[in-house]
Amino acid sequence: MKLLTIKKKLNSSVVIHNDAKLAFNFFFNQIYLSDKSLDGLYKLQLTHNHQTLYGIYTENNEIALFSGYEFISFNLSNLDLKKYVVIIYDSIKDEEVAKQAWASALTAIIPTVSTKHLEQFRRALNNSMPSNYIRYFFGKNIISQDTWAKFNSVSRYTLAKQTQKANKLITSQISIFEKLKDKHAG
């Protein structure tokens, strides 16, 4: 590992490492579930202060990031590397890149997820995270409601209620669509 020099920072473009893209996309697709109170926004902003970016340097003068981008105001196209410490790995296995990307994304977003969105987040995590990483981080093949409830110190009933509410909303949306379809079919 080495720190990236100012000269290299100025002469390098930045991309997201291919093996970090799933975690990167998950983080930015789920950030809307975060608590929007001042406390929640404060927690998200804390992840930005004194941020260190981690990546590898490619043959194309690119820095392929795999960690450190987990803050709400991250913008790849307007990233000023001079404001960050950038640590470059000389060599790292693709498996480790993905593992680090998921660890960083989960560490940043889980504490900020609003309690009312825990079930939605759990489902998104099960659908987005490869099962080998679910096993690595949670010790299970999938994250059950029971596991997630314990992890977040809430009751399983709380998560089940959120599922019922989501199912009710979907059913009512289908019902409205069916009524419109029937009205205009005849």
Side-chain angles (χ1 to χ4, degrees), residues 97-173:
V97 165
K99 198 181 290 180
Q100 181 60 46
W102 278 106
S104 298
L106 293 175
T107 300
I109 197 168
I110 286 176
T112 70
V113 174
S114 171
T115 304
K116 66 182 178 184
H117 296 300
L118 285 173
E119 176 60 12
Q120 185 179 352
F121 185 85
R122 180 191 71 84
R123 288 173 178 232
L125 193 54
N126 276 329
N127 290 332
S128 300
M129 184 182 254
S131 59
N132 57 321
Y133 297 117
I134 291 175
R135 272 191 303 283
Y136 178 79
F137 290 109
F138 297 96
K140 308 279 184 181
N141 290 329
I142 62 163
I143 305 165
S144 67
Q145 281 186 339
D146 189 51
T147 299
W148 195 236
K150 288 175 186 169
F151 186 83
N152 287 283
S153 301
V154 298
S155 69
R156 191 188 150 303
Y157 175 76
T158 299
L159 300 178
K161 219 168 136 180
Q162 290 176 11
T163 300
Q164 288 173 345
K165 187 175 180 182
N167 290 342
K168 197 176 198 180
L169 181 63
I170 290 168
T171 303
S172 70
Q173 288 173 342

Side-chain angles (χ1 to χ4, degrees), residues 2-15 17 54-66 81 86-92 97:
K2 60 185 173 198
L3 288 176
L4 195 64
T5 64
I6 298 282
K7 184 178 179 182
K8 285 238 184 194
K9 286 180 183 180
L10 294 172
N11 295 320
S12 301
S13 60
V14 180
V15 297
H17 193 290
Y54 297 87
I56 62 167
Y57 203 72
T58 70
E59 307 87 41
N60 304 330
N61 287 338
E62 290 178 328
I63 299 165
L65 296 179
F66 57 85
L81 288 178
V86 181
I87 296 178
I88 298 297
Y89 280 72
D90 295 321
S91 92
I92 186 170
V97 165

Side-chain angles (χ1 to χ4, degrees), residues 44-95:
L44 278 175
Q45 196 55 36
L46 273 181
T47 61
H48 181 316
N49 296 337
H50 311 293
Q51 194 69 24
T52 301
L53 305 175
Y54 297 87
I56 62 167
Y57 203 72
T58 70
E59 307 87 41
N60 304 330
N61 287 338
E62 290 178 328
I63 299 165
L65 296 179
F66 57 85
S67 182
Y69 49 73
E70 303 84 6
F71 52 92
I72 198 165
S73 60
F74 180 84
N75 185 336
L76 192 59
S77 60
N78 293 323
L79 189 63
D80 182 0
L81 288 178
K82 294 178 294 198
K83 294 180 179 179
Y84 302 94
V85 172
V86 181
I87 296 178
I88 298 297
Y89 280 72
D90 295 321
S91 92
I92 186 170
K93 294 179 180 176
D94 293 343
E95 174 81 11

